[in-house]
Amino acid sequence: MTRHMADSLTAMPNAELHTGTPIVALEHSPAGWRLVDADGAHYGPYGQIVISAPPPQAHALIQPWDDALTAVCVTREQRACWAGWAIFEGPLPLIPGVTPGWQMARLDHPMLNIVSRNQTKPGRETQPESVSLLAQLDWSEAQLEQPAEWVAEQLLTAFKRTFLTAATFPKLIEMGAHRWRYAQPTTPCEYDYLYSANGLALCGDSFRGGRVEDAWLSGHRLGEALIGRSVR
Ligand SMILES: Cc1cc2nc3c(=O)[nH]c(=O)nc-3n(C[C@H](O)[C@H](O)[C@H](O)COP(=O)(O)OP(=O)(O)OC[C@H]3O[C@@H](n4cnc5c(N)ncnc54)[C@H](O)[C@@H]3O)c2cc1C
């Protein structure tokens, strides 16, 4: 979705897109804001900086510059989520009583929360059988510092035991797990975004509910609020 939206940037004069560039500091001068990356390179000056990183990560950038936004970064706590995946040589066997083309399951299970079949998503029909295994938040936080390989094994075993017998499982091609340390907001938020008169703004799913739609609405509404503003 973001790649599709970024396509239109190439047609805009003066628009530059830098990906894979961790920003470690903000600097301010009469000319505006500059971003400093991990290699010391500078970007800008810009009139407005929008940070969509989860608040605990935005904190380090905001803290030297804005007390009100810093306080929000501190109070908008995020919960962690382990996300596993597994790719199989063949399709999963049918589960008795379940539609063959099932796409997603939400579980009442101490470890597993959501299972989704990625090849059922639009545009991925030619991909092999691949499942995402999202862990429960309580379990994720209890196992937060475990190695990814161990977590992947645990999630896959829970999936197999819950859904199917090992004897009927297709051959595994690849599996793994990723720790999302700042995956979901702990509490709901009464505003969709936040900005300061000094040209700094915060947005992202953490200001709403923790899903893609929340992220989009937060950024879209911030964009609408900033249109026409000129901040230096
Ligand atoms: C495991 C998992 C599965 C999910 N599945 C679904 C789903 O099926 N459906 C759904 O609707 N939602 C799902 N979500 C939620 C969805 O991914 C989020 O709502 C969405 O990605 C939030 O977008 P965002 O732009 O607010 O934040 P993010 O996607 O977190 O983007 C913030 C970006 O900021 C970057 N960043 C952080 N610090 C810096 C820095 N210092 N410099 C530069 N960049 C930085 C990060 O690398 C990241 O790319 C899932 C989330 C997780 C964790």
Side-chain angles (χ1 to χ4, degrees):
M1 192 171 134
T2 45
R3 284 182 206 127
H4 169 74
M5 291 166 82
D7 276 350
S8 60
L9 289 176
T10 55
M12 289 169 64
N14 304 323
E16 280 180 31
L17 180 64
H18 300 269
T19 58
T21 310
I23 298 301
V24 295
L26 305 181
E27 291 179 357
H28 192 249
S29 73
W33 290 99
R34 287 182 196 274
L35 309 178
V36 186
D37 75 14
D39 297 323
H42 284 63
Y43 306 84
Y46 304 110
Q48 181 79 51
I49 302 285
V50 172
I51 303 178
S52 68
Q57 290 178 303
H59 180 267
L61 301 176
I62 290 286
Q63 195 266 333
W65 299 109
D66 193 297
D67 291 344
L69 296 190
T70 299
V72 169
C73 289
V74 171
T75 50
R76 296 300 306 147
E77 290 176 358
Q78 299 280 117
R79 298 201 66 186
C81 176
W82 272 108
W85 73 87
I87 305 173
F88 299 98
E89 211 168 68
L92 293 178
L94 300 181
I95 305 172
V98 176
T99 316
W102 68 275
Q103 299 173 347
M104 193 262 238
R106 199 177 283 277
L107 282 78
D108 182 9
H109 185 279
M111 187 188 299
L112 269 182
N113 181 14
I114 291 172
V115 175
S116 60
R117 297 173 87 190
N118 296 312
Q119 80 284 357
T120 64
K121 294 175 183 171
R124 302 196 195 181
E125 299 80 5
T126 56
Q127 293 182 359
E129 178 79 61
S130 100
V131 289
S132 287
L133 307 166
L134 298 196
Q136 300 283 1
L137 300 185
D138 285 345
W139 187 87
S140 297
E141 285 168 349
Q143 311 299 340
L144 195 58
E145 304 305 333
Q146 295 283 3
E149 300 74 24
W150 180 86
V151 171
E153 285 283 357
Q154 299 292 313
L155 293 174
L156 185 59
T157 303
F159 173 57
K160 286 180 174 179
R161 287 196 181 140
T162 307
F163 280 78
L164 304 151
T165 62
T168 60
F169 238 74
K171 193 172 164 212
L172 185 70
I173 299 176
E174 195 185 322
M175 67 180 214
H178 182 79
R179 176 178 46 210
W180 295 81
R181 204 178 278 279
Y182 306 112
Q184 277 183 31
T186 306
T187 51
C189 193
E190 68 267 27
Y191 36 80
D192 291 342
Y193 56 81
L194 222 64
Y195 64 82
S196 269
N198 62 10
L200 296 178
L202 297 173
C203 70
D205 67 342
S206 354
F207 291 95
R208 290 181 48 91
R211 296 185 65 76
V212 163
E213 184 178 348
D214 296 312
W216 191 86
L217 283 172
S218 170
H220 181 71
R221 289 182 180 155
L222 173 63
E224 285 180 333
L226 293 178
I227 284 173
R229 282 171 52 89
S230 171
V231 193
R232 275 286 150 91

